Amino acid sequence: MTDMTEQGRTRNPQGTSEVTDPPTLRKAPTRRGGGDPATRGRTTIADGVVEKIAGLAARDVVGVHALGSGLSRTFGAVRDRVPGGSKSVTRGVKAEVGEVQTALDLEIVVDYGVSISDVARAVRENVIAAVERMAGLEVVEVNIAVSDVKLPEEEDEEPEPRIQ
């Protein structure tokens, strides 16, 4: 049996005293803010962010010539020629983003001679993997509309320059 003779000292039954930490200093470590830091706050991801990720992932698939319809590609080509204009990676991509899920619609042009179903499957797989990895969102669907086939002898649809 030990008795407290003064703060931080105890006398054991043999009569010797030991120095111990005072009971008031033996506190359990406290965690400020409560809970895991990863759960403190909210992260929101804009539709445009998911559209960019999906657009770049779709363009990486062999057999995808372009994204978007002929009209949107024509307008995009004009915009690309304007000084200060930038190439739109979101052309042909529409995303609906929720808190934990997203759905995507893509409009693509495929190269002539490739299997459209194989290209669509590869685009779907690549887009889902990229969006889920980078944005952490569950991709519930990727709808793909093939709007055109690029023939080998066709020129890319770009407007002719106004100044020769």
Side-chain angles (χ1 to χ4, degrees):
M1 172 159 28
T2 60
D3 60 330
M4 287 296 275
T5 56
E6 56 186 90
Q7 180 97 16
R9 291 190 182 272
T10 56
R11 193 171 296 268
N12 61 24
Q14 290 83 15
T16 60
S17 64
E18 300 173 355
V19 176
T20 59
D21 292 334
T24 56
L25 297 180
R26 290 186 202 164
K27 291 183 180 177
T30 57
R31 203 177 214 170
R32 295 177 192 245
D36 181 23
T39 62
R40 297 184 209 167
R42 243 175 93 176
T43 302
T44 57
I45 300 172
D47 293 1
V49 171
V50 174
E51 289 169 355
K52 281 184 180 182
I53 294 168
L56 290 171
R59 282 177 176 81
D60 283 345
V61 174
V62 174
V64 174
H65 178 73
L67 270 70
S69 66
L71 185 60
S72 70
R73 290 195 325 269
T74 301
F75 285 134
V78 170
R79 186 177 49 242
D80 294 345
R81 290 175 182 252
V82 173
S86 62
K87 200 167 196 173
S88 176
V89 295
T90 61
R91 186 180 320 140
V93 182
K94 178 69 177 122
E96 294 178 29
V97 180
E99 288 186 26
V100 294
Q101 294 179 328
T102 187
L104 294 149
D105 295 321
L106 282 80
E107 188 173 1
I108 66 172
V109 176
V110 297
D111 292 322
Y112 178 79
V114 298
S115 168
I116 293 174
S117 61
D118 289 347
V119 170
R121 180 185 40 75
V123 167
R124 211 172 261 115
E125 289 173 357
N126 209 31
V127 166
I128 289 170
V131 170
E132 288 184 347
R133 179 179 49 83
M134 292 181 68
L137 297 167
E138 177 191 0
V139 179
V140 293
E141 67 181 5
V142 177
N143 299 312
I144 298 173
V146 179
S147 63
D148 201 359
V149 174
K150 168 68 170 74
L151 299 176
E153 64 273 0
E154 285 181 338
E155 298 273 335
D156 280 336
E157 293 180 17
E158 290 189 17
E160 293 188 24
R162 293 175 49 182
I163 302 173
Q164 301 266 340

